[in-house]
């Protein structure tokens, strides 16, 4: 079984055993210990996240940004899907785990969000299935690509950017790495080569995951920008947040060029990039 398939299997297992904790690995969200207050904090974190993302896009890129069809790649239990639905005509969640998709649907029903939908995906984003709600003008993904081995993750990222309509907007988060010194590079090489060693490192950094281990993968930020440029992304705001020793997260807010490929070429393929402090 490939690393990718193995990871997807781990997610399905976590979705069945401890889904909220699988999404936010803080002890208060463990099934056995979950209080109503903690559950409330869990759902509120999605609400606050989505409100923040939309406000950054409005403040930094497009003041009157209003998503029509939002796509949440790796929607999990619907933490962000329902807040997205509240701000969009339709919101569509995609997830590799069928149990996560069922949980998202249940959450949408519980909140009366009839415009929230969720689909199981295999290794590819089915553009036709997504198109049933109309052109996608907002793509969103948080805490997902970091769990997908980079080669497959970049393919999925390309598909997500392909699905985005001209003039559409996006938010994605990736985990990146500092090149570090010789020691850090040696550890990194070992992690890439030996799955058991990577597991050990992830355990020590993230706290042990009891019965299954979800890997943490790193992406190269220049490569990410290259993928954005190749998909006519003309406006990018980049935020860096620290994520433990030797690593950081990159959060990308962006807008796609509103015209055609030819118009983009004629205009010199511009990409405006700002780094948020
Ligand atoms: C940490 S959870 C985050 C869920 C959600 N984005 C949130 O922030 O609440 C990661 C989610 O990504 C999904 N996932 C992992 N690999 C995936 C893949 N290759 N394709 C689609 N979904 C994937 C998992 O099933 C899981 O629901």
């Amino acid at each position: 079984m490939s690393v990718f398939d193995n990871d997807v299997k781990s997610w399905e297992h976590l979705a069945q055993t401890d889904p909220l904790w699988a999404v936010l690995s803080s002890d208060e969200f463990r099934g056995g210990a979950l209080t109503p207050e903690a559950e409330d904090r869990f759902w509120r974190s999605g609400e606050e996240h989505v409100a923040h993302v939309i406000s950054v896009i409005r403040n930094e890129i497009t003041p009157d940004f209003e998503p029509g069809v939002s796509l949440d790649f790796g929607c999990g239990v619907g933490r962000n899907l329902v807040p997205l639905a509240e701000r969009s005509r339709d919101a569509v969640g995609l997830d590799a785990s069928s149990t996560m998709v069922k949980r998202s649907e249940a959450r949408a029903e519980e909140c009366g969000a009839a415009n929230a939908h969720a689909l199981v995906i295999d290794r590819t984003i089915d553009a036709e299935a997504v198109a049933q709600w109309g052109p996608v003008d907002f793509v969103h993904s948080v805490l997902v690509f970091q769990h997908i081995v980079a080669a497959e993750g970049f393919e999925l990222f390309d598909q997500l950017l392909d699905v985005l309509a001209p003039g559409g907007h996006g938010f994605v988060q990736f985990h990146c790495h500092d090149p570090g010194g010789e020691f850090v590079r040696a550890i990194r090489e070992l992690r890439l080569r030996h799955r058991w060693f990577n597991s050990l490192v992830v355990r020590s950094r993230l706290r042990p995951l009891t019965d299954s281990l979800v890997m943490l993968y790193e992406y190269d930020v220049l490569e990410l920008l290259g993928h954005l440029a190749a998909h006519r992304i003309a406006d990018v705001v980049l935020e860096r947040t620290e994520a433990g020793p030797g690593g950081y997260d990159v959060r990308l807010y962006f807008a796609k060029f509103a015209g055609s490929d030819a118009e983009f070429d004629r205009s010199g393929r511009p990409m405006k990039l700002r780094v948020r402090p």
Side-chain angles (χ1 to χ4, degrees):
M1 192 185 283
S2 72
V3 169
F4 180 89
D5 291 331
N6 205 28
D7 289 341
V8 167
K9 217 170 128 214
S10 300
W11 279 109
E12 179 52 30
H13 179 67
L14 284 168
Q16 289 174 17
T17 51
D18 219 340
L20 267 54
W21 175 72
V23 170
L24 296 181
S25 308
S26 162
D27 280 345
E28 64 171 331
F29 302 131
R30 276 185 182 282
L34 191 69
T35 62
E37 293 75 27
E39 186 170 351
D40 190 49
R41 272 194 294 281
F42 178 89
W43 298 117
R44 212 163 352 108
S45 70
E47 174 60 39
E48 286 164 5
H49 165 77
V50 170
H52 173 74
V53 167
I54 302 250
S55 83
V56 173
I57 293 178
R58 285 191 184 144
N59 289 337
E60 308 264 351
I61 304 178
T62 306
D64 59 355
F65 170 60
E66 295 278 353
V69 177
S70 297
L71 194 62
D72 187 19
F73 175 67
C75 60
V77 294
R79 188 174 68 101
N80 304 307
L81 182 66
V82 171
L84 282 170
E86 284 163 359
R87 294 163 172 83
S88 314
R89 194 181 69 244
D90 284 286
V92 185
L94 304 177
D95 205 285
S97 152
S98 58
T99 302
M100 287 292 193
V101 163
K102 283 191 200 111
R103 289 191 176 270
S104 268
E105 287 169 340
R107 175 67 186 162
E109 200 175 329
E110 194 183 312
C111 297
N115 62 336
H117 322 278
L119 302 172
V120 182
I121 63 157
D122 196 3
R123 299 181 89 92
T124 49
I125 295 174
D126 182 347
E128 251 176 61
V130 170
Q132 64 185 290
W133 290 283
V136 172
D137 55 11
F138 184 46
V139 292
H140 170 275
S141 187
V142 69
L143 302 179
V144 180
F145 281 107
Q146 63 187 32
H147 297 302
I148 301 176
V149 63
E152 314 256 7
F154 276 123
E155 276 183 29
L156 285 158
F157 187 38
D158 284 342
Q159 292 166 27
L160 200 61
L161 295 172
D162 279 338
V163 162
L164 184 63
H169 293 75
F171 168 85
V172 285
Q173 170 264 332
F174 287 87
H175 184 65
C176 298
H177 63 91
D178 280 326
E182 219 167 282
F183 176 69
V184 172
R185 279 203 300 276
I187 297 276
R188 187 175 150 68
E189 273 308 303
L190 282 171
R191 286 183 64 187
L192 288 172
R193 215 168 299 151
H194 304 291
R195 187 170 159 75
W196 66 269
F197 184 75
N198 188 50
S199 300
L200 203 76
V201 173
V202 173
R203 271 170 202 272
S204 63
R205 270 215 333 222
L206 282 186
R207 75 181 52 235
L209 305 185
T210 47
D211 37 17
S212 94
L213 183 69
V214 183
M215 308 270 284
L216 192 63
Y217 300 103
E218 294 159 341
Y219 287 72
D220 182 279
V221 72
L222 288 180
E223 221 176 314
L224 285 171
L225 293 175
H227 282 255
L228 290 174
H231 285 84
R232 287 190 279 133
I233 301 301
D235 205 340
V236 182
V237 174
L238 186 152
E239 232 174 38
R240 172 186 162 136
T241 54
E242 294 310 313
Y248 61 94
D249 284 353
V250 154
R251 296 155 65 89
L252 299 160
Y253 306 80
F254 54 86
K256 201 175 204 176
F257 185 74
S260 67
D261 254 342
E263 285 166 332
F264 190 54
D265 284 343
R266 269 201 303 278
S267 65
R269 306 185 70 83
M271 190 205 250
K272 193 160 87 182
L273 171 67
R274 273 149 298 147
V275 179
R276 248 168 80 89

